[in-house]
Amino acid sequence: MAIHLLVAKVLRDELSSRGIRSLTAEESEAIAARIFERITELELELAARGFNSGDHAPT
């Protein structure tokens, strides 16, 4: 998916700007895909607990 490739590129650029240059394009794409998977999992978990964005004030 295009958004995963964009996030992977941003990840590579950010790491490179910090002197980390050992991440391959394939590795950064896999990390980006996993980030999106984790976000989806968190959204599902929050939905199951009854949290909706903006519906609850912080306690």
Side-chain angles (χ1 to χ4, degrees), residues 2-59:
I3 191 71
H4 290 162
L5 297 177
L6 179 60
V7 171
K9 171 82 168 90
V10 170
L11 174 62
R12 284 193 307 276
D13 291 348
E14 287 297 317
L15 291 174
S16 180
S17 74
R18 289 164 175 76
I20 301 168
R21 296 179 183 8
S22 62
L23 197 63
T24 67
E26 292 80 17
E27 290 168 328
S28 62
E29 290 168 19
I31 291 169
R34 183 62 186 135
I35 289 169
F36 281 98
E37 289 171 9
R38 291 183 67 191
I39 290 170
T40 300
E41 291 167 0
L42 289 170
E43 287 175 334
L44 292 172
E45 183 178 333
L46 290 174
R49 292 181 184 189
F51 286 91
N52 293 320
S53 60
D55 287 351
H56 291 86
T59 57

